[in-house]
Amino acid sequence: MIVLNAGETLAAVLTSSITTNQPEFSTHFIDVLADDDLPGSDKGTLSGSTEITIVGVPSLILRMVKTVFIYNKDTVAAEVSVVIAEGTTSCTICRRTLAPKATLTIDDNGINVDT
């Protein structure tokens, strides 16, 4: 699980070139409240070497990222970095090479690449 504090986002960026299809992502998270938890999710596509926010800033104090899936739709391998970003500062969580049709998964079981 990844915990985001106020002002932090989770982002992904390609560090290699694609040929035809950008990778897709799906994320699932929980905003923690004093008396309740609010589930949320997001999905979209990466965009080359541009850092893309895959989990936005928490709406309250704390956001627990439960799962991140990044699927390589391309016909060639794609190298993906996942980072926690706050303003101009970032911290790399992982950097993995995904074969065509492979999925990067970040969850309570760790960081895995499934082919």
Side-chain angles (χ1 to χ4, degrees):
M1 175 181 355
I2 299 168
V3 177
L4 299 177
N5 296 304
E8 295 179 332
T9 62
L10 192 65
V13 63
L14 290 175
T15 54
S16 62
S17 299
I18 60 113
T19 56
T20 56
N21 298 301
Q22 297 285 349
E24 297 176 332
F25 70 86
S26 174
T27 58
H28 309 274
F29 53 85
I30 296 173
D31 283 345
V32 179
L33 305 170
D35 57 351
D36 200 9
D37 295 337
L38 299 174
S41 63
D42 204 350
K43 61 185 174 188
T45 58
L46 300 185
S47 184
S49 61
T50 302
E51 190 173 279
I52 299 297
T53 298
I54 60 175
V55 177
V57 174
S59 58
L60 300 167
I61 297 172
L62 187 65
R63 179 167 281 171
M64 295 187 317
V65 180
K66 302 296 282 180
T67 56
V68 174
F69 301 106
I70 300 176
Y71 173 68
N72 182 13
K73 283 182 64 173
D74 208 0
T75 57
V76 298
E79 187 173 69
V80 179
S81 290
V82 177
V83 301
I84 293 177
E86 183 175 14
T88 59
T89 304
S90 64
C91 174
T92 301
I93 300 297
C94 70
R95 184 178 192 160
R96 298 289 189 276
T97 299
L98 305 179
K101 312 301 181 218
T103 301
L104 169 67
T105 303
I106 302 172
D107 60 14
D108 288 340
N109 295 315
I111 301 169
N112 300 292
V113 175
D114 303 315
T115 55

